[in-house]
Each structure stands twice: as C-alpha cells, then as structure tokens.
C-alpha cells in the first residue's frame, strides 16, 4: 500500500518527512511522494490527486478550524464526491492527530511539530496496522539502567594496575639530577675552552 505526504503551511517539512517515513517503515507500506501547498486552492488540487491514487494520505500543518484549514479543504473535496466522512482523534501530551476515514481511505492530519508527531506515531501505527493489516518491525528498547549495570559488571572484571607513586617520584628525581649534570659539564667545557684560549694567546704573545 502506498501513501503520500502533503505539507500545508508547514515550516518543518524535511524533519517531519524523515520522522514519518522512519516510523512507517514496513514491508507492506511504501512512501510514494511528498509535496507542499501554500494556499487553500493549491491544497485542494494536491489533495484531490492524492486521494485518487492512495488509500493513505498524510496532511501535515497547523491544526485549526478556520475556513483556510486543511479540514475544511478535505470536506470540500469529499463533498464533491458525495462520500461520508468519519472522524477519530488521537490525543497525546500537548498535541493531537485526527484521522478522517472515507470508505477504505484514511486521511490523517498531523501537527507541524516533530516531538508531538513522534508521540502520536505509536498509537497511530497500531490503528493503521489493525485497519489495513500492516506489519511494523518491533524494535527492542534497551533501558539505560541495564546498559549501566552491564558496564559496571564488565569494568569490575578488569584487573586494574595500580601506579607506584614511589617509582614515579624516583624517576622524576633521576631526570632532574641528569639535567643538572649536563648543565655542569657544559659550564666546565666552556671554562676549559676559555682557559685554552687564554693560554694560546699568552704563548703566541711570548714568541
């Protein structure tokens, strides 16, 4: 089964399209196309075409009851076909999704908000799976507490090597002494060179 996504006055098209497609990954469900409408007439044209070709259509955008709303546009399109519309809402924290059913077709209104849409998708997928006999892959959720405990067990089995502070201090002391010795040798070499120079000068001046 194919589905289309229509964005109506939406500002997060790429983010929402990715989230919707990711949530609806299923061998039985195929994303067909996505488009955007900026005004009522444009939405009417795109929606009329989408419901001719798909059993499932998503309309993403602002949810309101004005004359320019997507709901009003849908009613206008459906009334022209003399079909009946039934409605069902999925409510979550801070948002809701509305499912309009026309025969075997479902037109789903999603909010223009990625977080709200993600919260809606689990319950929406259950309803779609039941109605259209779809199968969605089950992803196991690994709890953070379980990961932490496993890391603790793993780290507990590692033999830790303790650093010998005495050895480190002794090494540092030896390095310091060697550095001082090198400085002393350099000074002695300079003094020896100066003495050799002075001796050569006196020898030459005596000749």
């Amino acid at each position: 089964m194919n589905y289309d996504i229509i964005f109506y006055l939406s500002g997060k098209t790429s983010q929402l399209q990715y989230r919707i497609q990711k949530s609806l990954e299923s061998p039985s469900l195929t994303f067909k196309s996505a488009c955007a409408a900026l005004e009522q007439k444009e939405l009417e044209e795109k929606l009329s075409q989408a419901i001719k070709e798909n059993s499932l259509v998503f309309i993403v955008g602002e949810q309101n009851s004005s004359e320019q709303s997507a709901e009003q546009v849908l009613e206008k399109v459906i009334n022209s076909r003399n079909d009946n519309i039934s409605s069902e809402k999925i409510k979550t924290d801070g948002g809701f999704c509305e499912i309009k059913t026309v025969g075997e077709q479902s037109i789903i209104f999603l909010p223009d908000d990625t977080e709200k849409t993600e919260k809606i998708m689990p319950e929406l997928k259950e309803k779609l799976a039941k109605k259209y006999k779809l199968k969605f892959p089950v992803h196991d959720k690994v709890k953070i507490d379980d990961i932490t405990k496993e890391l603790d067990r793993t780290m507990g089995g590692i033999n830790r090597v303790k650093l010998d502070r005495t050895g480190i201090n002794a090494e540092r002391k030896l390095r310091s002494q060697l550095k001082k010795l090198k400085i002393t040798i350099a000074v002695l070499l300079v003094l020896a060179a100066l003495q050799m120079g002075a001796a050569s000068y006196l020898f030459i001046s005596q000749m």
Side-chain angles (χ1 to χ4, degrees):
M1 185 172 72
N2 298 333
Y3 70 93
D4 276 359
I5 303 174
I6 302 175
F7 294 96
Y8 182 51
L9 301 175
S10 173
K12 301 178 180 179
T13 55
S14 59
Q15 296 177 29
L16 285 164
Q17 181 178 334
Y18 174 79
R19 301 290 176 88
I20 294 169
Q21 285 185 248
K22 197 69 177 174
S23 297
L24 296 177
E25 285 182 347
S26 168
S28 309
L29 196 58
T30 304
F31 168 71
K32 186 180 177 185
S33 66
C35 60
L38 299 177
E39 56 184 28
Q40 186 178 7
K41 184 65 177 177
E42 188 177 10
L43 175 61
E44 186 177 333
E45 292 173 356
K46 293 182 183 297
L47 182 56
S48 297
Q49 186 65 30
I51 61 178
K52 286 179 183 178
E53 301 174 353
N54 302 279
S55 296
L56 185 60
V57 178
F58 291 88
I59 301 177
V60 183
E62 293 184 4
Q63 296 171 308
N64 56 61
S65 57
S66 68
E67 293 182 357
Q68 301 294 323
S69 69
E71 287 86 349
Q72 294 295 324
V73 174
L74 175 63
E75 287 184 8
K76 182 179 180 181
V77 171
I78 298 302
N79 288 337
S80 65
R81 294 167 42 179
N82 295 320
D83 291 329
N84 294 322
I85 304 175
S86 62
S87 181
E88 180 182 6
K89 288 186 179 181
I90 298 175
K91 294 184 179 180
T92 60
D93 297 335
F96 69 92
C97 157
E98 190 163 5
I99 305 172
K100 300 283 188 177
T101 303
V102 183
E104 292 300 315
Q105 288 183 310
S106 294
I107 298 90
I108 300 169
F109 296 88
L110 290 172
D112 188 27
D113 187 293
T114 52
E115 291 184 4
K116 291 177 181 178
T117 297
E118 281 192 343
K119 291 180 180 179
I120 290 167
M121 291 308 293
E123 187 174 346
L124 175 60
K125 285 167 63 177
E126 287 183 10
K127 292 185 179 297
L128 292 176
K130 185 177 180 180
K131 180 174 181 178
Y132 297 108
K133 297 180 180 180
L134 301 173
K135 292 183 179 180
F136 294 102
V138 178
H139 300 288
D140 293 331
K141 295 182 178 180
V142 181
K143 295 181 180 180
I144 296 176
D145 291 342
D146 294 339
I147 296 174
T148 304
K149 289 177 182 178
E150 184 62 29
L151 285 173
D152 289 340
R153 284 194 295 268
T154 304
M155 294 301 292
I158 298 175
N159 294 323
R160 296 178 175 82
V161 179
K162 295 183 178 180
L163 296 176
D164 188 351
R165 301 302 302 178
T166 305
I168 294 173
N169 292 334
E171 184 179 355
R172 287 178 180 173
K173 186 176 181 180
L174 179 59
R175 287 179 181 177
S176 178
Q177 290 175 347
L178 288 173
K179 186 176 180 180
K180 290 178 181 179
L181 181 59
K182 288 178 181 179
I183 294 172
T184 302
I185 292 172
V187 171
L188 290 174
L189 289 172
V190 171
L191 291 175
L194 290 174
Q195 288 178 352
M196 288 292 292
S200 299
Y201 175 77
L202 290 174
F203 177 77
I204 293 171
S205 63
Q206 294 283 333
M207 292 179 64

